[in-house]
Amino acid sequence: ADKYVLGLVKSVDPTRLPIDCAHGSGYRTLTAFFKELGLSDVTSKIDWIHTEERPDFGNIGKCIENPKSGKRELFDYGADVTQVNEKKLPSGKIIKDFPVLCTADYPQRFAAMPIGDIILHTDMDNDRLAASQILPNDAKTRSLLDSLGIVYNVINSEKIVAVFIPNKFFHFLHQMNFERLTALMEEGKVDKNRKMVVLKTLASTPSVDTWAKKRQEEGYEIEVINTGVGFAKLANVMYRAEGEKKKNPGKNIMITDASGKDINIGPDPIILAAWEESGGIITGITYGFSDILGNPFLAEREKSATESIFLAIALISKLQHSKDGADLTAYLKMLYDRDNIDTPIDIRFDNK
């Protein structure tokens, strides 16, 4: 929480930023965190959704029709708001939606929100994050969303809710942290020679690799390391890097990623972001830090929605104060166009 991010969070318009806690632990955790940072004025104006901790999670994800059999029976999708459902119409056209966001009171809440509101969705144990935005239901908006691979739910004739799954929204967050770190480098607070590292799973979007190559072409020291699926695989890379840093201080650290590629991350890497497509993300320690045994420490070992929501609010504040305003779709298009991203569509395969 340095001045760069803290200043943005303090200047956000929180009335346009509902936070969905999914009837889990998020509300108490997040409000305590923001209070500790002296940000109660911000949190008091946020429209907090599903704040009561309930064992049934307010029927989120539950419906009375089995989507696989079509039978009228209780079915539980779980709490993953980014879970996509596909239906094939008689015409052969495939339509997609987010079934969890059709359950509980989501449809009514979305209908009551004004166009432009950005909703941050955490899960029951507050370690994953996704985002959605209320947008106008018109042909131009729908066409733009389709071209960027953004799936949406129709609310009514006037509104849709577009969901920015982690493969989209985390593209924003590592860009945001990149801007923070490069600003600190320009101020001389962080060594420009430190390599920035993005850790991501193989199931995460390859647009990150393209993004990093563009930053390299601009002269920045940055690498992407791909791992197997799961946050434990991301943590394993951190352990290996820390071990090499302690064993051979001042020497370049080589990491072999999941594809067998040997990657030089320099003698003192900084974790720009470590994330997976299922919604978990962390950022690294900016300045030198060691544990109580004196071991170097690059980042937390577990995902945290508290950390990611804080960075997300800074991002949204930046967009609110920009020329185009807080339009996530326009911002994603700008990033994709700038870096010539040619993998905008996410495809999921279910292994039978």
Side-chain angles (χ1 to χ4, degrees):
D2 52 37
K3 290 182 180 179
Y4 183 87
V5 172
L6 197 57
L8 285 170
V9 172
K10 286 181 178 179
S11 64
V12 75
D13 179 0
T15 64
R16 305 303 308 276
L17 184 59
I19 296 181
D20 176 16
C21 300
H23 290 299
S25 63
Y27 179 69
R28 284 197 297 165
T29 304
L30 290 165
T31 51
F33 172 77
F34 280 94
K35 182 178 180 181
E36 186 71 21
L37 291 175
L39 296 169
S40 294
D41 285 348
V42 174
T43 56
S44 65
K45 298 173 185 175
I46 289 174
D47 179 15
W48 295 91
I49 301 172
H50 303 139
T51 58
E52 181 187 5
E53 296 176 21
R54 294 178 51 168
D56 65 351
F57 304 116
N59 289 326
I60 289 175
K62 298 177 179 64
C63 61
I64 55 173
E65 180 182 316
N66 188 319
K68 297 179 180 179
S69 66
K71 294 181 179 179
R72 186 176 174 81
E73 59 187 12
L74 180 63
F75 186 86
D76 192 345
Y77 282 102
D80 180 6
V81 299
T82 69
Q83 183 181 170
V84 178
N85 190 36
E86 294 188 357
K87 290 182 180 179
K88 189 172 184 178
L89 301 179
S91 64
K93 181 181 178 181
I94 295 176
I95 59 172
K96 300 179 181 180
D97 68 3
F98 295 94
V100 174
L101 295 180
C102 296
T103 64
D105 61 350
Y106 281 116
Q108 294 85 355
R109 286 186 179 273
F110 289 148
M113 292 178 186
I115 289 173
D117 272 13
I118 297 173
I119 306 97
L120 297 178
H121 303 270
T122 183
D123 63 350
M124 282 71 170
D125 58 349
N126 193 48
D127 66 354
R128 301 177 191 271
L129 179 66
S132 63
Q133 186 167 26
I134 308 299
L135 298 174
N137 186 3
D138 57 49
K140 181 180 178 180
T141 300
R142 296 193 303 270
S143 177
L144 179 58
L145 292 171
D146 290 342
S147 70
L148 294 170
I150 302 170
V151 179
Y152 55 87
N153 282 7
V154 175
I155 302 171
N156 51 40
S157 61
E158 297 177 352
K159 301 175 187 175
I160 57 179
V161 56
V163 179
F164 294 80
I165 62 175
N167 269 348
K168 305 294 186 187
F169 194 65
F170 290 175
H171 197 95
F172 298 157
L173 295 190
H174 72 241
Q175 169 68 30
M176 182 69 199
N177 203 33
F178 170 78
E179 293 174 9
R180 180 185 75 88
L181 288 173
T182 52
L184 292 173
M185 289 176 177
E186 290 299 321
E187 294 173 9
K189 295 179 179 178
V190 174
D191 187 349
K192 287 185 178 182
N193 294 317
R194 292 183 69 185
K195 277 198 177 182
M196 293 175 277
V197 180
V198 178
L199 305 176
K200 71 177 185 71
T201 61
L202 286 169
S204 301
T205 174
S207 65
V208 181
D209 303 82
T210 305
W211 174 89
K213 287 178 182 177
K214 294 295 182 180
R215 305 292 79 76
Q216 290 170 350
E217 292 171 4
E218 293 169 353
Y220 292 103
E221 294 283 344
I222 188 165
E223 297 287 351
V224 175
I225 296 176
N226 288 284
T227 75
V229 174
F231 229 83
K233 302 295 193 302
L234 299 171
N236 178 262
V237 172
M238 299 177 210
Y239 281 122
R240 287 153 57 192
E242 290 164 354
E244 286 298 316
K245 185 176 180 180
K246 183 178 181 181
K247 183 180 178 181
N248 300 300
K251 293 187 177 182
N252 288 335
I253 299 168
M254 299 296 295
I255 297 292
T256 303
D257 76 356
S259 67
K261 180 181 177 182
D262 293 326
I263 300 172
N264 181 358
I265 59 174
D268 188 23
I270 184 168
I271 304 297
L272 178 65
W275 62 275
E276 58 182 350
E277 78 296 333
S278 61
I281 184 172
I282 58 171
T283 56
I285 305 297
T286 304
Y287 304 104
F289 184 83
S290 300
D291 63 20
I292 59 174
L293 299 177
N295 299 311
F297 188 79
L298 295 178
E300 292 182 48
R301 299 296 189 265
E302 189 51 89
K303 50 194 176 287
S304 166
T306 299
E307 180 179 314
S308 53
I309 283 176
F310 190 68
L311 191 61
I313 292 175
L315 162 73
I316 292 165
S317 176
K318 184 191 80 164
L319 294 179
Q320 286 178 344
H321 293 91
S322 69
K323 177 185 63 166
D324 297 324
D327 184 335
L328 295 183
T329 310
Y331 185 55
L332 185 66
K333 185 178 187 305
M334 184 277 291
L335 292 178
Y336 279 6
D337 288 348
R338 181 195 67 181
D339 295 336
N340 297 317
I341 300 296
D342 58 3
T343 53
I345 310 298
D346 294 275
I347 301 175
R348 291 187 180 185
F349 294 96
D350 290 329
N351 293 324
K352 302 298 183 182

